[in-house]
Amino acid sequence: MAALYTGTVSRKPATSGSAPEDATSHHVKNHHGEVVKFKNPHPSAGETLSTFQIMRKMIWARITGKISAPDISNVDLPVISPTFLPSRSSSPRLRATWLGHACYYVEFPSGLRVLFDPVFEDRCSPVSWLGPKRYTPPPCNPADLPAVDAVVISHSHYDHLSHATVSEIARRHPEAQFFVGLGLAKWFTDSGISKVTELDWWEDAELTLQPLASKVSSSSGPGQIEARISCLPCQHSSGRTGRDKDHTLWASWGVSSGGKSVYFGGDTGYRAVSEVLDDEVDDYGVDSEHLPRNPGFAEIGKLRGPFDLGLLPIGAYKPRWMWSALHANPYDAVEIFRDTRCKRAMGIHWGTWVLTNEEIAEPPVLLKEALKRKGMPETGVFDVCAVGESREF
């Protein structure tokens, strides 16, 4: 049995030198000066489209034959039952287990246990009978996780935030602390989850865990555990209904504890590609060098890096003219990897639901091509793994 801990959180607003001068340029304020929405502040995000505009473009592209759904009839992505460390002090290394899509369970050598963007349901949808359905099953259930100290949520979209999943985690791990972007804490408290801390970009929180000695033997885990949780920029959007677009903040995250650090990219774009370019055109070619890149990732690398491990999105990117502003492809992911100064990385945001139009097995293939183009090893630096597989760093 994993040692039980209780945590306290101390929020640390951004200070001089820990954030860029334009740290709040993503805020949208009303005439009273109150923050009411959020925006992507850089030209790299391109034109901002409404949900209706995106859906209209998708429907028209399907009608005209410009896009087609990928074939999932012969999906051959391995799914294995995960194994977790037997105790909080079992390994001096960082251990990360992919649980599908953007969800990772990370065991820090300090004893800290962190769950990123957990969604265990079959569908990422407001309802259980409609919407994208898994073509690879979850490798385990929330009940199989030995301990959860922190749950980090990148944003409110259904493939990253599930009411059923977070409610089950809070029930099974009542001491778990949830970390979310600005505006999202109310959704959690309305859902009956009170241990939630919301942060703005460039803000940090200090998480201190103390063992519950009355519950387990002191020999089953380390003593006090310290961690820093950093809310960091990315380029995306938010919303769970047609009426709340961008009302809550999307974010990437940094987590450090016991001398090891993880950068979680969550869900993000890097540079918007023009509709003039189709998916057969190399949008990192000479003709596209002028496209602006999001400078936030280089700032993350400078102000919070380096990181021992990056969990970086590589899927849900076609057609590029529709999704590039919001979703990184493998070429973007390698640039983010370099900008944020990650030493190693694992690919996320693929292999689970059909959200866009690239073929199921394409992201890992393009990832190797992107690494090769940059003169980097095709394996051993930025990899993918089976669903349920663990890697140590």
Side-chain angles (χ1 to χ4, degrees):
M1 178 181 179
L4 299 180
Y5 282 69
T6 184
T8 57
V9 177
S10 175
R11 182 170 164 173
K12 306 290 185 183
T15 58
S16 177
S18 69
E21 292 184 1
D22 62 346
T24 60
S25 59
H26 55 293
H27 291 180
V28 178
K29 299 180 179 181
N30 62 17
H31 64 280
H32 297 297
E34 302 165 328
V35 178
V36 292
K37 290 184 67 175
F38 302 93
K39 65 180 181 179
N40 291 303
H42 302 297
S44 57
E47 177 188 4
T48 301
L49 299 178
S50 68
T51 302
F52 173 77
Q53 288 173 313
I54 292 173
M55 293 301 297
R56 185 175 65 182
K57 280 178 172 284
M58 288 181 65
I59 293 170
W60 181 246
R62 285 188 182 275
I63 291 173
T64 58
K66 292 181 68 175
I67 61 175
S68 58
D71 180 12
I72 61 170
S73 61
N74 293 301
V75 172
D76 188 26
L77 298 179
V79 179
I80 62 176
S81 296
T83 58
F84 306 109
L85 294 173
S87 74
R88 291 181 182 266
S89 53
S90 294
S91 174
R93 306 187 71 187
L94 189 70
R95 193 168 189 270
T97 304
W98 188 34
L99 302 182
H101 199 52
C103 182
Y104 251 91
Y105 181 75
V106 180
E107 298 167 286
F108 286 77
S110 66
L112 178 72
R113 302 295 184 253
V114 181
L115 190 59
F116 295 91
D117 277 7
V119 179
F120 288 87
E121 279 63 59
D122 282 342
R123 295 187 187 271
C124 54
S125 167
V127 294
S128 61
W129 48 270
L130 186 67
K133 186 176 182 180
R134 284 181 182 265
Y135 55 81
T136 52
C140 66
N141 297 309
D144 300 317
L145 302 175
V148 178
D149 302 310
V151 181
V152 175
I153 303 294
S154 64
H155 67 297
S156 65
H157 287 160
Y158 285 93
D159 56 323
H160 296 259
L161 175 59
S162 159
H163 181 274
T165 289
V166 296
S167 296
E168 178 72 358
I169 291 167
R171 185 180 72 82
R172 292 187 175 275
H173 303 276
E175 296 299 325
Q177 299 282 343
F178 291 76
F179 294 88
V180 304
L182 282 187
L184 196 49
K186 185 179 185 300
W187 183 92
F188 279 81
T189 56
D190 287 349
S191 300
I193 299 172
S194 61
K195 294 180 182 294
V196 57
T197 300
E198 65 175 32
L199 299 172
D200 199 359
W201 290 354
W202 300 110
E203 288 185 335
D204 300 324
E206 300 295 334
L207 173 62
T208 302
L209 301 176
Q210 299 285 356
L212 289 170
S214 61
K215 298 292 184 181
V216 293
S217 167
S218 61
S219 63
S220 61
Q224 180 172 295
I225 299 171
E226 301 280 354
R228 184 181 71 182
I229 317 289
S230 300
C231 183
L232 299 168
C234 69
Q235 183 172 292
H236 200 58
S237 181
S238 68
R240 294 178 72 80
T241 71
R243 300 182 300 276
D244 65 344
K245 186 179 188 303
D246 299 343
H247 286 195
T248 62
L249 183 60
W250 49 96
S252 63
W253 295 83
V255 179
S256 60
S257 182
K260 292 288 187 178
S261 57
V262 172
Y263 174 68
F264 177 62
D267 197 353
T268 185
Y270 185 66
R271 58 205 279 274
V273 173
S274 168
E275 192 166 345
V276 174
L277 297 177
D278 63 36
D279 288 324
E280 302 307 315
V281 175
D282 179 4
D283 58 61
Y284 271 93
V286 175
D287 293 339
S288 304
E289 283 296 319
H290 66 285
L291 294 177
R293 304 178 180 211
N294 189 306
F297 299 102
E299 291 172 337
I300 290 169
K302 177 182 177 181
L303 298 173
R304 294 292 192 279
F307 298 92
D308 294 292
L309 173 64
L311 304 174
L312 305 179
I314 63 170
Y317 51 79
K318 278 187 177 179
R320 288 284 279 161
W321 53 263
M322 184 180 295
W323 294 111
S324 57
L326 298 176
H327 291 163
N329 74 356
Y331 290 92
D332 297 327
V334 170
E335 298 300 319
I336 293 171
F337 171 82
R338 289 156 57 90
D339 284 354
T340 53
R341 300 172 61 202
C342 293
K343 297 174 184 177
R344 298 277 302 278
M346 298 299 294
I348 63 170
H349 207 257
W350 75 287
T352 307
W353 291 287
V354 173
L355 301 176
T356 51
N357 295 97
E358 71 274 5
E359 290 302 322
I360 301 303
E362 184 179 272
V365 175
L366 290 191
L367 178 60
K368 288 189 175 184
E369 292 180 7
L371 292 165
K372 183 177 180 180
R373 179 176 293 190
K374 287 295 182 180
M376 300 167 64
E378 294 181 32
T379 59
V381 175
F382 190 162
D383 295 312
V384 297
C385 67
V387 179
E389 183 178 352
S390 301
R391 297 285 180 93
E392 292 193 342
F393 304 90

